[in-house]
Amino acid sequence: NLYKDEKTTLRDLDKIWDNYNKTRIDFQIKNLLKDPEFWWYIGIWLAEGWVYTNSKGYKTIHTTHNNLTELKYLERINNLFERYNRNVSYTNKGNNCFEAKLSSSQIHDFLLENFGKYASGKNIPEWAKYIPKNLKLKLLEGYLNGDGCTFVDGRR
């Protein structure tokens, strides 16, 4: 692990998040970067999500989930953002697929500027590789919940 040293401190996370307090004060969300569940969400967003800005500048964050095996993730996303007084809407897209949508220009801009866009354009920024270990583990958990799998293939 090249990123053992936790160079990105909790104080650094405050500074990073302050860059995204550009919205109206009543729309601002307190620092999510100290919340391990938000790092889980970033992981699942990296695996299953995207950001969108419509023609009127309305910004949303989306993830998709299988409604047969991933309902627990929808509940987890809802519980996370309820703590920050944000509503998540859900749409049944058919074929056992649900889409979770969150409206927040603050989170939208943070994800877009730090983690990228589209499957081929997403990455983990260098500063995030040095966050405290508990947050890195949540990021990894979220990513594996989204795109990862475990299996036994019979070989030893």
Side-chain angles (χ1 to χ4, degrees), residues 84-143:
Y84 295 92
N85 298 315
R86 293 294 180 269
N87 295 320
V88 179
S89 62
Y90 303 97
T91 305
N92 184 341
K93 302 304 258 183
N95 295 322
N96 300 320
C97 180
F98 267 87
E99 179 182 314
K101 179 172 87 171
L102 171 69
S103 299
S104 169
S105 60
Q106 198 174 8
I107 296 171
H108 172 284
D109 293 348
F110 169 77
L111 290 172
L112 180 62
E113 291 174 21
N114 288 282
F115 294 92
K117 189 174 184 178
Y118 306 120
S120 62
K122 290 181 185 171
N123 60 64
I124 297 174
E126 197 67 20
W127 65 263
K129 296 172 185 176
Y130 291 101
I131 60 176
K133 183 178 179 179
N134 68 315
L135 302 179
K136 279 193 267 192
L137 289 173
K138 285 295 186 178
L139 173 72
L140 182 60
E141 177 190 350
Y143 187 76

Side-chain angles (χ1 to χ4, degrees), residues 25-37:
I25 192 128
D26 54 331
F27 289 165
Q28 289 180 7
I29 301 171
K30 72 177 187 169
N31 190 349
L32 290 163
L33 299 183
K34 295 179 180 180
D35 187 337
E37 277 299 290

